[in-house]
Amino acid sequence: MRAIRPPESKQATTLLVAVRCRPLTSKEQTKSRDILRVVDDKVVVVLDPDSSKEYLDRVQNRSKEKKYVFDVAFGPECSNKDVYNVTVGSMIEGVLRGLNATVFAYGATGSGKTHTMAGLPEDPGLMVLSLQEIFGLITKQEQEHDFEVTCSYLEVYNEVIYDLLEKSSGHLELREDPDQGITVAGLKRIQVNSAEKILELLNLGNSRRKTESTNANATSSRQPNALIVCRSHAVLEIIVKRKQRNQYRSQVLRGKLALVDLAGSERASETNNAGQKLRDGANINRSLLALANCINALGKQQKKGLAYVPYRNSKLTRLLKDGLSGNSRTVMVATVSCADDQYHHTTNTLKYADRAKEIKTHIQTNVGTVDAHVADYQRMIDNLQVEVSQLRRELAEKETQLSSRTPEKADDELSWLDVLSHDINENVEMRVNLQKALFELEDMNLHNRMELQQLDELIAQHQDEEGDGEKLDDLIERRQVVLDNIRDNDEAGAHYRQDIEHNEKQRKELQRQIDEAISSNRNKTYLRILSQYRLLGMTNMELQFQMAIRDQIIQDQREALNNMWRLLESSGLNHDQILEIAAQQGIMIEDGMPM
Ligand code: ADP
Ligand code: MG
């Protein structure tokens, strides 16, 4: 029997925005000027990179000097430990109590992201320091609790997930599990017993990250040797499980700390690369852009309530969803170089961080779900099944027409098949995500419309009674906010619909390519495999929708249970009394959820 859980208590999520300025490297010292100043551990001043400007220009404000204020700012003299103490340090204790936390380093290539996250043996970074603290705290609590610490290290490159703990990892898939949240199927998870081992592991993992040489920015165009650019986002996930010792009915708390070393934030358009690399750039931007959009939406949510957070728009945001929303804490460390020739990148990074700052707190909204979705999903499954059976029939018909020639250009055919199968997978996955996002949006707007209706009634009531004017103003103001939300969500929904249309076109094009190949009588074996791929793709989509239905049902049940808890608690019984009554009835209830 599944145990009944009390609702998780809602806690404000906080985003802490820190900026870290790195010193000039010894090479840079001869040719670059330091243009950053950190004041009062909070303010970052960027001086005009053009030092030749006249005094008059400067006082008349024709200077490019800029000033930003953050939660905390670190100057070039600060060590990783200094950054750690003020940012992640205070969150570790919560992770041991089952809370989630996310830390990401954002900045241009060469600004110090990897230095901050992984670090060096003499100056270990946030990843290593976090683990050290985890093990330190565990030693203190070992009397009462059993702990298990596991790590995984992955990269998201070109919207594909690879395992950095595996030598030559294949593509990994994201799964949505209603109990564990987002997981990566097949990802290696290793048990760690000391922090010392981890730096070695991180270095090994980092050496496997997808990199490229580029002359993307000013530093390297002046240098004969081009800069190595990390094109991927690396995510270290540390999971701490805590189990109460010597308890008959023990509960396991599971806290998750995600530390993310993002890809360089410079824009793809700034590189001279073409073709495949531009595509890389576009995909990196997809994740970074999606992250920015989520951060913006979370900020909006704080002000307005039900604003849609587009987590589904990229792999990275889907991966980080737990850590960005709900009962979790997030730290963004924006890294900047103090060199004058990096002025452009530095101000771009600071602007991004400045926008992120707006999210101070937000409370997880418990958006109820609507039964209609199950019907929607079911309809899609039905359509898919029709399509699958049609495909099967066509395939059987074509089978007889095909000649069984031996392969001629085997390699060619295989790589073509490879590309096509990859495209089919991507097409299916995209479709599933778009459809789910659209359902979520519609769900949200249903709630908005319900609220709007209630507000309209209340407003009418107030106007009739000519009652409290201030209250009426509040209602009207709230009505405007809800209307704005509906409009924003409708707009986002229209985009998703367009994307779905585009996705559908792509799907037809893929099908056309297969048909064409079949009619031009290319090799039978390959075509059979290819058609199987397509069938698998469809079946995969069907399964995903079935899983979505299951998730929906679980979520609904959870909501019902939560309501029951609220009801019980509002009856005046306290937690212990409820547990006692339940025990008398032989009902098992999990207690002691994390605060
Ligand atoms: P990114 O990962 O952002 O591309 P890196 O972390 O690789 O950049 O840093 C680029 C270079 O600058 C490296 O040689 C690194 O050792 C050095 N560096 C970065 N941050 C600092 C710092 N705070 N103190 C000293 N050196 C730093
Ligand atoms: Mg790096």
Side-chain angles (χ1 to χ4, degrees):
M1 189 186 92
R2 267 192 69 88
I4 300 172
R5 270 190 222 163
E8 288 177 40
S9 52
K10 289 177 185 170
Q11 202 187 33
T13 298
T14 53
L15 175 74
L16 180 96
V17 179
V19 169
R20 181 184 205 186
C21 312
R22 79 154 168 83
L24 294 175
T25 60
S26 47
K27 248 195 215 161
E28 282 171 333
Q29 268 165 13
T30 53
K31 63 179 181 65
S32 303
R33 201 165 60 91
D34 171 2
I35 55 162
L36 291 185
R37 301 289 177 270
V38 174
V39 189
D40 290 341
D41 299 332
K42 274 185 188 332
V43 181
V44 180
V45 181
V46 192
L47 304 177
D48 194 324
D50 181 2
S51 60
S52 66
K53 271 200 185 134
E54 290 298 321
Y55 174 74
L56 203 62
D57 277 348
R58 274 188 271 143
V59 291
Q60 285 180 344
N61 222 2
R62 280 193 295 250
S63 160
K64 281 161 80 185
E65 186 171 306
K66 295 202 162 67
K67 194 169 119 186
Y68 301 87
V69 186
F70 298 97
D71 292 323
V72 55
F74 301 95
E77 71 292 348
C78 292
S79 66
N80 281 330
K81 184 81 183 165
D82 294 329
V83 178
Y84 174 83
N85 286 341
V86 188
T87 56
V88 202
S90 62
M91 303 180 347
I92 302 295
E93 203 250 321
V95 175
L96 265 66
R97 285 188 291 119
L99 293 181
N100 292 339
T102 301
V103 185
F104 53 90
Y106 176 94
T109 296
S111 61
K113 296 180 296 296
T114 306
H115 180 89
T116 303
M117 295 313 264
L120 307 164
E122 63 273 21
D123 187 12
L126 304 188
M127 291 174 167
V128 184
L129 293 170
S130 302
L131 270 166
Q132 266 173 9
E133 178 130 18
I134 286 172
F135 287 112
L137 286 174
I138 285 179
T139 317
K140 284 190 204 151
Q141 300 181 19
E142 254 168 351
Q143 304 286 310
E144 307 122 67
H145 305 289
D146 280 324
F147 286 95
E148 186 196 277
V149 183
T150 54
C151 289
S152 65
Y153 197 35
L154 61 82
E155 71 173 338
V156 183
Y157 172 72
N158 217 347
E159 290 300 302
V160 178
I161 299 171
Y162 299 89
D163 196 336
L164 286 173
L165 296 180
E166 288 283 359
K167 209 169 179 181
S168 39
S169 143
H171 299 188
L172 299 179
E173 301 275 339
L174 273 179
R175 297 251 184 285
E176 285 179 50
D177 184 292
D179 261 331
Q180 310 211 358
I182 307 275
T183 58
V184 180
L187 182 67
K188 190 164 172 181
R189 199 157 257 305
I190 49 161
Q191 203 162 336
V192 252
N193 300 310
S194 81
E196 283 61 48
K197 279 226 68 89
I198 200 71
L199 188 58
E200 227 174 275
L201 221 66
L202 288 176
N203 284 335
L204 188 66
N206 284 343
S207 71
R208 292 184 186 133
R209 282 181 74 181
K210 310 278 185 294
T211 55
E212 78 186 52
S213 291
T214 183
N215 38 18
N217 57 42
T219 327
S220 48
S221 59
R222 281 194 216 163
Q223 283 172 350
N225 43 345
L227 215 64
I228 298 297
V229 180
C230 246
R231 280 291 177 215
S232 72
H233 312 288
V235 183
L236 174 74
E237 197 181 82
I238 305 169
I239 291 185
V240 183
K241 284 191 189 156
R242 187 183 89 173
K243 221 173 108 181
Q244 190 105 28
R245 265 218 184 139
N246 311 322
Q247 272 223 341
Y248 167 64
R249 187 163 47 85
S250 66
Q251 187 201 3
V252 181
L253 291 183
R254 183 174 175 277
K256 192 165 86 177
L257 174 66
L259 297 123
V260 190
D261 184 352
L262 292 170
S265 57
E266 58 278 353
R267 282 201 306 269
S269 58
E270 290 172 33
T271 68
N272 289 338
N273 299 316
Q276 174 63 28
K277 285 179 185 159
L278 257 185
R279 178 178 159 165
D280 290 0
N283 270 334
I284 287 158
N285 277 351
R286 189 190 327 166
S287 274
L288 278 184
L289 195 71
L291 186 63
N293 284 336
C294 285
I295 286 175
N296 267 341
L298 286 167
K300 228 158 97 181
Q301 203 167 52
Q302 191 236 324
K303 287 188 203 138
K304 306 209 297 182
L306 283 182
Y308 185 68
V309 184
Y311 292 113
R312 289 196 184 278
N313 289 5
S314 78
K315 286 272 160 65
L316 185 72
T317 46
R318 283 174 70 199
L319 261 175
L320 297 183
K321 185 179 173 199
D322 288 347
L324 291 174
S325 62
N327 299 331
S328 58
R329 297 175 63 190
T330 309
V331 177
M332 167 172 169
V333 184
T335 56
V336 287
S337 156
C338 64
D340 53 355
D341 51 16
Q342 296 292 305
Y343 176 85
H344 177 63
H345 291 316
T346 298
T347 48
N348 271 344
T349 300
L350 293 176
K351 268 187 236 159
Y352 186 97
D354 195 50
R355 253 190 306 149
K357 213 173 56 178
E358 282 169 23
I359 318 173
K360 277 292 160 248
T361 55
H362 95 266
I363 299 185
Q364 186 178 22
T365 39
N366 235 339
V367 182
T369 46
V370 184
D371 287 344
H373 286 188
V374 174
D376 282 336
Y377 286 131
Q378 193 57 54
R379 204 184 54 237
M380 298 209 52
I381 291 174
D382 293 346
N383 289 344
L384 279 170
Q385 279 172 346
V386 170
E387 207 165 334
V388 166
S389 65
Q390 194 174 337
L391 265 171
R392 285 226 164 87
R393 208 170 42 242
E394 277 175 25
L395 194 61
E397 275 167 24
K398 273 162 190 159
E399 191 94 337
T400 53
Q401 298 164 12
L402 287 169
S403 68
S404 36
R405 286 188 302 168
T406 47
E408 285 154 22
K409 294 175 280 177
D411 284 351
D412 247 24
E413 295 269 2
L414 271 180
S415 68
W416 176 71
L417 187 68
D418 213 33
V419 171
L420 208 58
S421 69
H422 174 259
D423 287 353
I424 289 172
N425 272 339
E426 204 164 87
N427 177 269
V428 168
E429 196 180 332
M430 186 92 97
R431 177 61 196 265
V432 171
N433 271 315
L434 286 169
Q435 196 64 51
K436 282 187 183 172
L438 197 59
F439 288 161
E440 285 163 5
L441 263 177
E442 284 169 357
D443 196 9
M444 212 168 250
N445 258 1
L446 206 80
H447 281 260
N448 279 328
R449 293 217 163 81
M450 265 160 22
E451 189 181 346
L452 192 66
Q453 202 179 341
Q454 283 169 353
L455 283 168
D456 281 342
E457 282 164 17
L458 279 174
I459 289 171
Q461 214 176 332
H462 261 79
Q463 280 166 339
D464 283 350
E465 293 167 5
E466 289 178 11
D468 185 354
E470 207 172 305
K471 183 88 195 285
L472 185 63
D473 288 347
D474 283 353
L475 287 171
I476 290 173
E477 197 180 317
R478 177 68 201 163
R479 186 178 185 277
Q480 191 53 48
V481 168
V482 175
L483 270 178
D484 285 350
N485 271 340
I486 292 178
R487 199 202 43 228
D488 288 355
N489 286 345
D490 278 344
E491 247 169 51
H495 281 132
Y496 280 122
R497 272 191 206 93
Q498 269 173 15
D499 287 350
I500 287 178
E501 238 170 70
H502 179 70
N503 175 276
E504 191 61 22
K505 269 191 206 139
Q506 266 178 340
R507 191 179 69 81
K508 290 206 173 111
E509 171 58 21
L510 289 169
Q511 182 59 44
R512 195 195 56 73
Q513 284 179 24
I514 297 173
D515 286 348
E516 191 186 86
I518 291 178
S519 58
S520 67
N521 235 359
R522 285 164 95 159
N523 184 275
K524 185 174 166 177
T525 321
Y526 292 129
L527 289 172
R528 193 182 295 135
I529 299 171
L530 193 61
S531 301
Q532 288 300 336
Y533 256 122
R534 172 111 181 85
L535 270 179
L536 276 178
M538 308 289 287
T539 323
N540 177 13
M541 199 184 326
E542 189 184 324
L543 276 176
Q544 296 239 21
F545 281 120
Q546 259 159 10
M547 264 161 32
I549 290 187
R550 187 197 59 174
D551 293 356
Q552 185 95 49
I553 291 170
I554 292 174
Q555 219 177 342
D556 286 349
Q557 285 175 343
R558 219 167 255 172
E559 183 67 21
L561 284 179
N562 283 349
N563 286 338
M564 223 176 66
W565 266 96
R566 273 185 220 118
L567 211 72
L568 283 171
E569 281 171 347
S570 67
S571 72
L573 294 171
N574 68 29
H575 214 90
D576 290 341
Q577 287 169 320
I578 295 174
L579 288 180
E580 206 183 300
I581 296 171
Q584 282 167 7
Q585 300 291 322
I587 301 171
M588 194 174 98
I589 297 187
E590 284 179 33
D591 58 356
M593 286 304 287
M595 277 86 63

